[in-house]
C-alpha cells in the first residue's frame, strides 16, 4: 500500500492549514477539527469554534474517537474527538457533489474510522467528495442533564446532535477547498445515523446546510420529550454514583469531573437496563428541548414542517433479527410488547398481534420489534415529508444463503456492505461462503448507482416512483429490483391504529 505526502495536498480550512495524504489513487484528509475540544469546562456544552493552530497540521492519520465501550481494535479515545475526514478524487476539480455520512451505533458506539475504506467506492465510482465525522456519544452526547444545570455550571442537551450541525456548517464553509459544492450536499446515515438524518430535517439550525438526505434503517421515533429525558438524566447520575462510590459530590461537578472510562461504564449499565425499565425506547437519543429540537420529527413531518429537501428513506426486510444477546434492545419480549401497547385500544392490539401470530415465535418477536422501531416509523416519516419534498422509499431484501441459514436474512445494517462496496470485508466474505455473493454484488452496484445519482442531481432512476400517502411506491432491492405498491399493506394498516405509549 503506497502512501505519499506532498505540498499539493495542503489545504486552508477553518483554523489553519492541513496536509493530507494520497492513498491508492484518492486524496485523504483525516482528523480535521470542526469544533473546539469539548474538554474541561466545555464538557456538556454546545460545540465551540475551532481553536486555530500554527503551521500546517498533519491530516494523514485518523484521530481519537468518542469515548465508548472498547472494541477489539483498541482505537484511541478522547473527549478531543470532534473531527471529520474528507476523501476526494485524485484529480482536483470544482463543484463536485458532497456526501456526508453519519455513523450508527445506538448513539453509544461507532466512529468515523471503524470501517476500513469507508466512502472510497463512492468517490471512485461517482466522483463525489465524501465526508464522515465523529460526534459525542453516550452520556457526553445523548443524555439530558438540564435538570442539574446551574448558572455557574451550565449543562446543555442534544450535544451529539449539535455536533452534527456544527460539522455540516463546517462542510458548508470549507468543502469548496476540497473541490466540493457547498450547495450540493447530501447527508446520509444508517441506524442511529439514520435517526440523525430524520431529526436534522426537523432541526431549525440545520436549515440550508444540506440539499438532499438519505435515511437508512432509521428509528425516527427514537426522540423523546424532556420530561422523560430528564428522568433518564437523573437515573444516570444515580448509576454514576454507584460506579464512582460517590454519594456527596454535587451532580454538576460529578458529571464534569468523572473520568470518561467511568462515564462509559455507567452508560453501559443504563443501556442494559432501559429496554426493560422503559420498553420500546433508547435512552441515549435526541431530546425535544423546545430549542435545538422543537418537536418530534415525525410530528414535524406530518405537519409539513420538515426542511423541504428530497429524501430517500427505507429499511431492510428483517431489521429485528440482528438484535440478540448484547444487542437485545428492541420490544421483543412479552412484557416489553405489553408496555408499548399501553395506550393502544384492545381491538387495534388484537389486529396487530394477528399480523405476527402466523410467524414462528422467535421470528414473530424479531419482526415485531424491527417493525416497531424502524419500518413503521419510517413509513410515517416518509408520508409526512412527502408533503414538502420528493420522497423515494425502499426495502432492502437481498441476503446471501449464509445469512438466511443463520436466521438473519436481510437484517439491520446489511445494506451498508452494498452502499459502500464492502464485499471484500471478512464479514461479507463469510456471509457469502454458501452462495448468493454474486447476486448481492450486482444488487449492491445498482443501489450504489442510485445513491450516487441522487447525490449528483436528485435523480434515482426512471423506474423508481415517488412515495406518498396515496401512492406508496416502494423499490424492493433484491436479486431483481422491482417496484411494489404498498408492500405489507395489511400490516401497515394494522399499525395505523397504534398509539405510541410515550
Amino acid at each position: 500500500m503506497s502512501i505519499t505526502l506532498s505540498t499539493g495536498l495542503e489545504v486552508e480550512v477553518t483554523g489553519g492549514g492541513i496536509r493530507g495524504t494520497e492513498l491508492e489513487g484518492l486524496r485523504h484528509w483525516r482528523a480535521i477539527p470542526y469544533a473546539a475540544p469539548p474538554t474541561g469546562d466545555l464538557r456538556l456544552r454546545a460545540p465551540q469554534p475551532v481553536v486555530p493552530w500554527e503551521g500546517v497540521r498533519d491530516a494523514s492519520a485518523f484521530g481519537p474517537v468518542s469515548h465508548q465501550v472498547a472494541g477489539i481494535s483498541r482505537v484511541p479515545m478522547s473527549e478531543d474527538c470532534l473531527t471529520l475526514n474528507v476523501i476526494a478524487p485524485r484529480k482536483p476539480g470544482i463543484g463536485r457533489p458532497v456526501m456526508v455520512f453519519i455513523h450508527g451505533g445506538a448513539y453509544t458506539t461507532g466512529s468515523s474510522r471503524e470501517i476500513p475504506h469507508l466512502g472510497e467506492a463512492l468517490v471512485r465510482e461517482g466522483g463525489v467528495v465524501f465526508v464522515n465525522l465523529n460526534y459525542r456519544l453516550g452520556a457526553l452526547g445523548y443524555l439530558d442533564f438540564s435538570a442539574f444545570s446551574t448558572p455557574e455550571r451550565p449543562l446543555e442537551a442534544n450535544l451529539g446532535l449539535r455536533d452534527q450541525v456544527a460539522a455540516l456548517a463546517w462542510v458548508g464553509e470549507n468543502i469548496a477547498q476540497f473541490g466540493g459544492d457547498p450547495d450540493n450536499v447530501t447527508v446520509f446515515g444508517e441506524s442511529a445515523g439514520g435517526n440523525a438524518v430524520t431529526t436534522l430535517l426537523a432541526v431549525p439550525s440545520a436549515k440550508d446546510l444540506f440539499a438532499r438526505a438519505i435515511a437508512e434503517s432509521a428509528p425516527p421515533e427514537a426522540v423523546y420529550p424532556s420530561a422523560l429525558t430528564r428522568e433518564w438524566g437523573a437515573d444516570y447520575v444515580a448509576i454514576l454514583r454507584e460506579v464512582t462510590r460517590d454519594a456527596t459530590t454535587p451532580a454538576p461537578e460529578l458529571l464534569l469531573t468523572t473520568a470518561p472510562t467511568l462515564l462509559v461504564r455507567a452508560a453501559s449499565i443504563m443501556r442494559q437496563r432501559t429496554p426493560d425499565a422503559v420498553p420500546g425506547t433508547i435512552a441515549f437519543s435526541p431530546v425535544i428541548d423546545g430549542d435545538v429540537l422543537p418537536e418530534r420529527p415525525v410530528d414535524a413531518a406530518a405537519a409539513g414542517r420538515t426542511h423541504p429537501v428530497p429524501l430517500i428513506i427505507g429499511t431492510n426486510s428483517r431489521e429485528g433479527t440482528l438484535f440478540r444477546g448484547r444487542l437485545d434492545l428492541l420490544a421483543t419480549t412479552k412484557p416489553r410488547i405489553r408496555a408499548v401497547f399501553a395506550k393502544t385500544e384492545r381491538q387495534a392490539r388484537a389486529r396487530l398481534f394477528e399480523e405476527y401470530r402466523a410467524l414462528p415465535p422467535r421470528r414473530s418477536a424479531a419482526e415485531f420489534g424491527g417493525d416497531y422501531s424502524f419500518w413503521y416509523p419510517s413509513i410515517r416519516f416518509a408520508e409526512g415529508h412527502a408533503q414538502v419534498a420528493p420522497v423515494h422509499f425502499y426495502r432492502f431484501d437481498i441476503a446471501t444463503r449464509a445469512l438466511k441459514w443463520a436466521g438473519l436474512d436481510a437484517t439491520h445494517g446489511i445494506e451498508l456492505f452494498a452502499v459502500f462496496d464492502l464485499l471484500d470485508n471478512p464479514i461479507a466474505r463469510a456471509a457469502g461462503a454458501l452462495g448468493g455473493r454474486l447476486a448481492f454484488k450486482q444488487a449492491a452496484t445498482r443501489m450504489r448507482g442510485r445513491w450516487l445519482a441522487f447525490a449528483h442531481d436528485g435523480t434515482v432512476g426512471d423506474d423508481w416512483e415517488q412515495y406518498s400517502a396515496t401512492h406508496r411506491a416502494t423499490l424492493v432491492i433484491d436479486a431483481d429490483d422491482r417496484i411494489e405498491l404498498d408492500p405489507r399493506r395489511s400490516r401497515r394498516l394494522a399499525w395505523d391504529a397504534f398509539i405510541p405509549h410515550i
Side-chain angles (χ1 to χ4, degrees), residues 139 142-148 155-158 225-234 283 285 287-289:
Y142 284 94
L143 281 182
D144 178 6
F145 301 115
S146 58
F148 301 106
L155 308 176
E156 295 172 295
N158 277 324
S226 58
L228 176 59
T229 60
R230 287 185 178 190
E231 288 183 14
W232 281 335
S285 293
V287 53
I288 305 164
D289 60 1

Side-chain angles (χ1 to χ4, degrees), residues 337-356:
I337 293 171
R338 277 198 302 269
V340 302
F341 279 124
K343 295 183 179 179
T344 300
E345 294 182 358
R346 180 178 299 179
Q347 187 173 354
R349 290 201 304 267
R351 182 175 179 183
L352 261 172
F353 285 148
E354 194 60 37
E355 286 293 326
Y356 297 92

Side-chain angles (χ1 to χ4, degrees), residues 289-310:
D289 60 1
D291 177 21
V292 176
L293 183 59
E295 60 186 322
R296 194 184 295 265
V298 169
D299 293 342
R305 289 192 288 267
T306 41
H307 302 315
V309 302

Side-chain angles (χ1 to χ4, degrees), residues 227-435:
L228 176 59
T229 60
R230 287 185 178 190
E231 288 183 14
W232 281 335
D235 291 343
Y236 176 83
V237 169
I239 295 170
L240 186 60
R241 291 195 185 282
E242 295 175 13
V243 168
T244 60
R245 300 181 181 179
D246 184 339
T248 59
T249 300
E253 186 177 346
L254 182 70
L255 291 164
L256 292 171
T257 60
T258 297
T261 52
L262 297 179
L263 295 176
V264 170
R265 188 183 305 172
S268 297
I269 294 170
M270 186 163 183
R271 182 181 175 183
Q272 293 167 3
R273 293 179 182 177
T274 304
D276 292 308
V278 190
T281 65
I282 302 172
F284 299 93
S285 293
V287 53
I288 305 164
D289 60 1
D291 177 21
V292 176
L293 183 59
E295 60 186 322
R296 194 184 295 265
V298 169
D299 293 342
R305 289 192 288 267
T306 41
H307 302 315
V309 302
L311 171 68
I312 290 176
I313 186 170
T315 59
N316 298 347
S317 180
R318 300 284 304 283
E319 291 281 358
T321 56
L322 181 70
F323 295 90
R324 309 169 179 172
R326 292 179 63 187
L327 296 178
D328 181 19
L329 305 174
L330 305 185
T332 53
T333 65
K334 288 182 179 179
R336 295 179 190 177
I337 293 171
R338 277 198 302 269
V340 302
F341 279 124
K343 295 183 179 179
T344 300
E345 294 182 358
R346 180 178 299 179
Q347 187 173 354
R349 290 201 304 267
R351 182 175 179 183
L352 261 172
F353 285 148
E354 194 60 37
E355 286 293 326
Y356 297 92
R357 191 170 287 127
L359 301 173
R362 185 171 177 177
R363 178 177 172 182
S364 175
E367 292 222 3
F368 178 88
D371 289 353
Y372 168 80
S373 294
F374 304 103
W375 176 67
Y376 183 67
S378 292
I379 284 177
R380 286 199 63 209
F381 192 93
E383 63 190 22
H385 189 70
Q387 300 172 94
V388 299
V391 172
H392 290 86
F393 202 92
Y394 74 90
R395 192 182 76 206
F396 191 87
D397 275 24
I398 193 163
T400 62
R401 291 176 185 170
L403 289 171
K404 294 176 182 178
W405 176 83
L408 292 169
D409 213 308
T411 192
H412 187 72
I414 196 67
E415 91 292 347
L416 290 176
F417 292 92
V419 171
F420 290 111
D421 192 21
L422 300 175
L423 299 187
D424 286 328
N425 177 293
I427 296 175
R429 286 195 169 278
L434 299 181

Side-chain angles (χ1 to χ4, degrees), residues 102-313:
I102 302 176
H103 71 78
Y107 289 133
T108 55
T109 63
S111 76
S112 67
R113 60 182 290 178
E114 65 180 328
I115 303 176
H117 308 294
L118 196 75
E120 293 179 7
L122 295 174
V123 178
R124 285 198 174 91
E125 295 175 17
V128 301
V129 176
F130 176 80
V131 181
N132 66 341
L133 59 133
N134 293 327
Y135 54 91
R136 280 174 281 184
L137 301 171
L140 295 177
Y142 284 94
L143 281 182
D144 178 6
F145 301 115
S146 58
F148 301 106
S149 185
T150 68
E152 299 76 25
R153 294 277 199 173
L155 308 176
E156 295 172 295
N158 277 324
L159 298 178
L161 182 59
R162 294 178 195 238
D163 294 343
Q164 293 156 9
V165 172
L168 288 167
W170 185 97
V171 168
E173 294 166 2
N174 293 277
I175 205 64
Q177 298 294 99
F178 303 87
D181 182 354
D183 295 320
N184 192 13
V185 175
T186 296
V187 62
F188 69 127
E190 183 269 344
S191 194
N195 173 274
V197 170
T198 55
T199 303
L200 286 164
L201 285 164
V203 171
S205 58
K207 187 177 186 294
D208 298 328
L209 294 183
F210 51 94
R212 283 177 284 279
I214 303 173
E216 301 172 20
S217 299
E221 290 278 28
V223 177
Y224 304 104
S226 58
L228 176 59
T229 60
R230 287 185 178 190
E231 288 183 14
W232 281 335
D235 291 343
Y236 176 83
V237 169
I239 295 170
L240 186 60
R241 291 195 185 282
E242 295 175 13
V243 168
T244 60
R245 300 181 181 179
D246 184 339
T248 59
T249 300
E253 186 177 346
L254 182 70
L255 291 164
L256 292 171
T257 60
T258 297
T261 52
L262 297 179
L263 295 176
V264 170
R265 188 183 305 172
S268 297
I269 294 170
M270 186 163 183
R271 182 181 175 183
Q272 293 167 3
R273 293 179 182 177
T274 304
D276 292 308
V278 190
T281 65
I282 302 172
F284 299 93
S285 293
V287 53
I288 305 164
D289 60 1
D291 177 21
V292 176
L293 183 59
E295 60 186 322
R296 194 184 295 265
V298 169
D299 293 342
R305 289 192 288 267
T306 41
H307 302 315
V309 302
L311 171 68
I312 290 176
I313 186 170

